[in-house]
Amino acid sequence: MQFEDELQQVLPADLPNREELITKGAGHLRLIVETNEQFNLTRITTPREAAIKHVLDSVLPWRLFEKAGLVLDAGTGPGYPGLPLAIVLPHVRWVLAESTQKKAAFVESAALQLGISNVEVMPLRAEDVLKKARMDLITARAVAPLTKAAALFGPAVRQGTRALLYKGPDAELEIAEALPEARKRRLLMKVVERFELPENLGVRCIVELTQA
């Protein structure tokens, strides 16, 4: 599959390190397609949809991450959003946590092959990583409902870490449902960014968790 042309068309012109993301983002997608023949990493139907739903979706909120020193991508799966963001923001250090060993091994191999040196892959659950190290930010794309996320990330957030979680169009409803848990754990939740993916491929909200 040819992914470069699709990335060239969909990525914003003002994106930092855009050309590098086109090259390495396409290489990453090709590695996923190859690996999917052995075991399923993530669904890829067409190059266009993959470019939008995986790479573009990962990097559109890049400005929210640019001032962080160390970011944890919790449950990175095949490397999203961590790897594309690491390419766009090479001055930020990224820890990509993935408890499924095969997926973690894939991400580590992909980062090595693509020459993305500002990432560290940990084959652990995010909450176990957070017990060992202090992060500036936690992010996750395929994250649990906010009620569960508050329980998982609450201890770290109470110590000064912020969380930026990728959610769908019903983020406000999820926040309302998670309110009792958030209050119990003294957390604040709010939508800090909302964007629409091209070609009706969905609405994305970024929900921030901070100390109350």
Side-chain angles (χ1 to χ4, degrees):
M1 288 187 180
Q2 287 301 311
F3 295 105
E4 282 88 350
D5 291 346
E6 305 297 346
L7 289 169
Q8 188 72 250
Q9 289 172 40
V10 302
L11 292 176
D14 64 346
L15 190 68
N17 299 300
R18 185 177 184 273
E19 292 306 313
E20 189 174 356
L21 180 59
I22 289 168
T23 304
K24 292 184 177 179
H28 182 201
L29 286 167
R30 272 195 288 274
L31 289 170
I32 291 172
V33 171
E34 287 169 21
T35 305
N36 273 350
E37 293 175 11
Q38 277 84 51
F39 68 96
N40 187 46
L41 282 166
T42 191
R43 188 165 164 265
I44 288 184
T45 49
T46 67
R48 182 73 164 194
E49 189 173 300
I52 294 170
K53 289 180 83 170
H54 294 312
V55 185
L56 179 67
D57 182 40
S58 293
V59 299
L60 276 176
W62 65 269
R63 289 179 181 84
L64 297 173
F65 298 92
E66 64 178 329
K67 292 180 180 170
L70 184 61
V71 183
L72 173 67
D73 178 7
T76 192
Y80 297 114
L83 286 184
L85 283 169
I87 296 165
V88 168
L89 301 171
H91 63 283
V92 178
R93 287 167 53 228
W94 302 81
V95 175
L96 278 49
E98 175 51 59
S99 60
T100 303
Q101 304 292 309
K102 281 185 176 180
K103 288 182 180 179
F106 166 81
V107 176
E108 190 158 34
S109 171
L112 198 62
Q113 288 182 63
L114 298 167
I116 306 170
S117 57
N118 55 323
V119 303
E120 180 183 357
V121 180
M122 290 193 174
L124 298 167
R125 295 183 306 168
E127 53 268 39
D128 294 330
V129 175
L130 290 167
K131 288 171 189 169
K132 299 178 177 184
R134 168 85 182 270
M135 303 285 162
D136 297 313
L137 278 175
I138 302 163
T139 194
R141 214 169 67 121
V143 74
L146 286 174
T147 301
K148 191 173 179 189
L152 289 176
F153 304 141
V157 172
R158 282 202 305 279
Q159 290 167 7
T161 299
R162 287 187 305 131
L164 294 167
L165 307 177
Y166 290 64
K167 299 304 266 178
D170 298 326
E172 278 93 353
L173 182 63
E174 246 189 88
I175 288 171
E177 289 171 351
L179 207 53
E181 187 71 25
R183 282 182 178 145
K184 186 171 86 178
R185 295 180 179 276
R186 301 191 301 283
L187 304 176
L188 294 175
M189 296 182 180
K190 64 178 179 180
V191 174
V192 290
E193 192 163 324
R194 179 189 293 270
F195 51 88
E196 196 161 334
L197 294 172
E199 299 174 19
N200 296 315
L201 285 174
V203 173
R204 176 67 79 187
C205 297
I206 306 295
V207 175
E208 180 187 58
L209 275 64
T210 54
Q211 283 177 300

